[in-house]
Amino acid sequence: MEGYNKKYYANKLYEQLLTKINDVPQSGYIVVIGSNNCISFDILCNHFGSERCIGIDIANPSNHPRVLIKDIMNFDESNNIPIALCHNDLGSFPLTPVAKWKAQVWAAQNTLPGGYILGRNDFNSASYPLEALMERHKFINVYLSGLTGLLNLDMEESVIEGHMLSKRCRPNFR
């Protein structure tokens, strides 16, 4: 995890992928579930504007003004917000599989048409069916390995193989 410092894989994903997406919906929030010490989160705040970004975590060690201290396990309808772009970086499937799954479900339910979620694919260690979950919520999934010809993704192969970018279809999509 590189101590969640500047070498953390999310920094590369944000700089090389998320900040390159040119059709993120103009409305809705940019959300990082599992914002930790906010080094990666600040990349998105600087790119999209901090007023549009929300980090969600059970702690806020950096005292970042845009982080909500909340436990995803306690989320209900009162926590719903419109999401334009989200990264589910909460915990891990080996250690916190139920929380990671619940974060994915919450994000999928709250993402606007045309919005994106970056998360794990079905290669996750708990074998959770994330691809089918996203498809049920009208997302099209693209493995990051399918983007390597379009973008220069300079990161570990395991990161590329284990993640997907999902885009929610617009209502009139057939």
Side-chain angles (χ1 to χ4, degrees), residues 14-139:
Y14 295 2
E15 290 171 346
Q16 297 173 28
L17 177 63
L18 296 187
T19 59
K20 306 295 187 227
I21 300 172
N22 62 9
D23 66 342
V24 172
Q26 293 298 308
S27 63
Y29 291 100
I30 310 302
V31 178
V32 175
I33 308 170
S35 52
N36 196 281
N37 63 12
C38 298
I39 292 172
S40 304
F41 180 61
D42 272 335
I43 294 169
L44 299 179
C45 289
N46 291 334
H47 183 77
F48 291 101
S50 61
E51 69 287 342
R52 191 167 180 210
C53 296
I54 297 175
I56 300 170
D57 213 317
I58 58 172
N60 185 4
S62 65
N63 292 314
H64 198 286
R66 297 299 300 165
V67 171
L68 302 176
I69 300 173
K70 294 187 174 234
D71 183 345
I72 196 77
M73 297 304 290
N74 299 324
F75 270 35
D76 59 24
E77 289 181 10
S78 69
N79 300 109
N80 290 349
I81 57 172
I83 296 173
L85 174 67
C86 180
H87 179 208
N88 180 4
D89 200 24
L90 183 142
S92 67
F93 277 108
L95 299 176
T96 56
V98 175
K100 188 129 178 110
W101 174 262
K102 185 163 181 173
Q104 192 79 15
V105 170
W106 177 82
Q109 291 171 340
N110 284 279
T111 299
L112 298 169
Y116 291 89
I117 296 178
L118 172 64
R120 298 287 179 170
N121 57 32
D122 283 359
F123 296 139
N124 66 79
S125 61
S127 299
Y128 276 65
L130 294 168
E131 296 169 39
L133 167 74
M134 300 308 286
E135 289 169 4
R136 277 194 307 276
H137 286 282
K138 308 294 185 221
F139 284 82

